[in-house]
């Protein structure tokens, strides 16, 4: 890590104390609201503990994730992501920071799992909705069941966090529970594997290029390998990047661009990236967005005559589709693998 700090010419930290920790089992709701609000105003990142998903099950999900990524590439390409963003994403498929990643994309591979809907469901024609893509059960027995269970449990955690966020924005606690919001969400889980490439920012080589997330919030579960960095002030010159240390049993939660729009920039969607240090690294990101039809417009508690809305209203589905299109490779580049 010392070498990476020299290349960036910015200080880095592996301390965990600079992120607030929200304990979902804490009966003192006001304390949780206060800690979360402070984090959202400061850096948009915080830890969530005692979230109700057992450590034993978390370890099983990571074990199953490793089993998939250890498969031969030819096997993984059989479940290549489709136009609904379900399935496998190869190394270099995603380009998050085109200004600095001049020659190549992210040195990571992934696997998308969304809300499962049958093809004949009236909602299945919409982007990000529909049936998932699954490896054959004979190759990875029980894999689908494990991932579906985690997807459902993580959504429960996200809804609990969203209730605290609503209170921090002076809204009713159930504001985000409405059907057009997290009642019928676009919830996308992404298994991630960084194979051990050593990042070199001076050459534009990253595990994941600098970016902010697109949606409402993201839950991130990681193994014990450090790699995630955040930049609290994206406009600073030079940018200062700090490491976020893994915390066993916790989710690292960050706010997305959609919540920044909703809150009129009161809450921050923070720039972050992943640097590889030569060690293999696994993580699971769970992206939580409202439904397609949800109109994202400035919240009544976040605007005034002196602080009018900074963004026009936009439908969630329209916004997300464009952001994914901007950062992922055209599927036509993989035609040679299909036979």
């Amino acid at each position: 890590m010392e070498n990476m700090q020299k290349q960036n010419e910015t200080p880095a930290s592996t301390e965990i104390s600079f992120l607030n920790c929200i304990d979902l089992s804490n009966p003192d709701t006001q304390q949780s609201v206060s800690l979360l609000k402070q984090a959202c105003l400061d850096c948009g990142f915080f830890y969530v503990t005692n979230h109700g998903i057992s450590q034993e099950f978390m370890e099983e999900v990571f074990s199953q994730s490793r089993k998939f990524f250890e498969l031969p590439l030819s096997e993984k390409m059989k479940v290549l992501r489709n136009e609904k963003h379900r399935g496998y994403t190869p190394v270099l498929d995603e380009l998050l920071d085109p200004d600095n990643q001049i020659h190549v994309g992210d040195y990571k591979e992934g696997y998308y799992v969304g809300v499962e809907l049958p093809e004949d469901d009236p909602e299945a024609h919409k982007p990000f909705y529909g049936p998932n893509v699954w490896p054959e059960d004979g190759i990875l027995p029980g894999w689908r069941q494990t991932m579906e269970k985690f997807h459902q449990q993580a959504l429960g955690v996200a809804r609990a966090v969203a209730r605290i966020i609503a209170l921090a924005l002076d809204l009713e606690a159930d504001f985000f529970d409405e059907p057009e919001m997290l009642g019928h969400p676009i919830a996308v889980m992404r298994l991630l594997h960084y194979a051990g490439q050593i990042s070199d920012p001076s050459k534009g080589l990253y595990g994941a290029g600098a970016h902010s997330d697109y949606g409402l919030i993201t839950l991130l579960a990681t193994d014990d390998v450090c790699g995630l960095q955040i930049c609290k002030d994206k406009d600073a010159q030079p940018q200062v990047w700090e490491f976020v240390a893994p915390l066993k049993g916790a989710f690292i939660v960050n706010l997305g661009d959609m919540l920044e729009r909703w809150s009129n920039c009161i809450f921050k969607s923070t720039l972050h990236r992943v640097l590889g240090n030569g060690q293999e690294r696994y993580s699971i990101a769970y992206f939580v967005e409202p439904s397609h039809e949800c109109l994202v417009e400035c919240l009544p508690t976040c605007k005034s005559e002196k602080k009018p809305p900074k963004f026009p209203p936009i439908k969630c589905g329209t916004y997300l589709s464009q952001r994914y299109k901007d950062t992922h490779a055209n599927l036509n580049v993989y035609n040679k693998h299909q036979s």
Side-chain angles (χ1 to χ4, degrees), residues 62-337:
F62 273 90
S63 174
Q64 294 285 2
S65 175
R66 280 192 293 272
K67 287 179 181 178
F68 172 78
F69 289 117
E70 288 170 354
L71 291 174
L73 180 60
S74 59
E75 201 64 48
K76 291 183 284 191
M77 291 301 289
K78 291 179 183 178
V79 286
L80 179 69
R81 72 171 169 89
N82 58 24
E83 71 282 351
K84 299 270 191 176
H85 289 280
R86 306 293 178 90
Y88 176 62
T89 55
V91 174
L92 306 182
D93 178 76
E94 193 171 14
L95 180 64
L96 291 169
D97 186 9
D99 290 341
N100 290 306
Q101 292 174 280
I102 300 170
H103 302 296
V104 295
D106 290 356
Y107 277 96
K108 68 176 190 292
E109 55 182 343
Y111 197 97
Y112 282 117
V113 178
V115 176
E116 181 78 24
L117 284 180
E119 288 185 0
D120 59 357
D121 189 287
E123 298 281 292
H125 69 282
K126 295 179 179 179
F128 310 105
Y129 281 5
N132 281 299
V133 176
W134 300 107
E136 292 181 17
D137 198 52
I139 296 174
L140 294 173
W143 198 86
R144 172 178 177 169
Q145 291 75 14
T146 298
M147 297 308 163
E148 287 183 325
K149 180 180 176 181
F150 180 79
H151 190 286
Q152 194 61 36
Q153 291 192 7
L155 181 56
V157 177
R159 285 174 171 151
V161 173
R163 292 182 191 112
I164 302 174
I165 290 174
L167 292 171
L169 288 167
D170 298 319
L171 302 165
E172 294 296 323
D174 62 357
F175 178 83
F176 292 110
D177 289 338
E178 295 299 315
E180 70 274 16
M181 295 189 190
L182 298 188
H184 298 289
I186 301 171
V188 179
M189 165 179 147
R190 194 176 188 193
L191 310 176
L192 293 164
H193 173 229
Y194 301 84
Q197 173 83 19
I198 297 178
S199 297
D200 186 346
S202 68
K203 296 178 180 177
L205 301 177
Y206 300 89
H211 65 286
S212 54
D213 289 347
Y214 317 145
L216 184 67
I217 58 173
T218 302
L219 311 180
L220 181 72
T222 73
D223 61 13
D224 58 2
V225 177
C226 202
L228 175 66
Q229 287 189 319
I230 64 173
C231 175
K232 292 183 180 180
D233 184 359
K234 63 184 177 183
D235 297 319
Q237 292 296 329
Q239 290 178 335
V240 177
W241 290 91
E242 299 172 304
F243 281 99
V244 174
L247 183 60
K248 189 175 182 65
F251 281 110
I252 300 167
V253 181
N254 66 280
L255 311 183
D257 298 341
M258 209 173 288
L259 186 54
E260 185 172 272
R261 289 178 73 110
W262 242 324
S263 70
N264 214 20
C265 295
I266 293 173
F267 283 1
K268 296 176 64 175
S269 174
T270 297
L271 207 59
H272 53 285
R273 68 187 187 187
V274 174
L275 295 189
N277 62 7
Q279 291 179 277
E280 203 172 16
R281 180 175 181 268
Y282 290 88
S283 64
I284 305 169
Y286 191 84
F287 304 102
V288 184
E289 280 76 66
S291 73
H292 285 84
E293 304 307 318
C294 181
L295 191 65
V296 180
E297 57 183 336
C298 185
L299 296 167
T301 56
C302 298
K303 62 183 178 182
S304 64
E305 284 188 17
K306 292 183 179 180
K307 293 183 178 180
K310 297 182 179 182
F311 305 99
I314 188 169
K315 279 194 174 181
C316 175
T318 303
Y319 178 75
L320 283 179
S321 293
Q322 187 58 52
R323 292 294 299 271
Y324 272 80
K325 182 180 177 183
D326 289 344
T327 55
H328 288 72
N330 189 305
L331 285 170
N332 290 331
V333 305
Y334 300 117
N335 284 343
K336 63 183 179 181
H337 292 277

Side-chain angles (χ1 to χ4, degrees), residues 18-32:
F18 70 100
L19 285 191
N20 282 355
C21 192
I22 313 301
D23 181 348
L24 290 188
S25 69
N26 185 359
D28 187 345
T29 303
Q30 194 50 51
Q31 183 185 48
S32 296

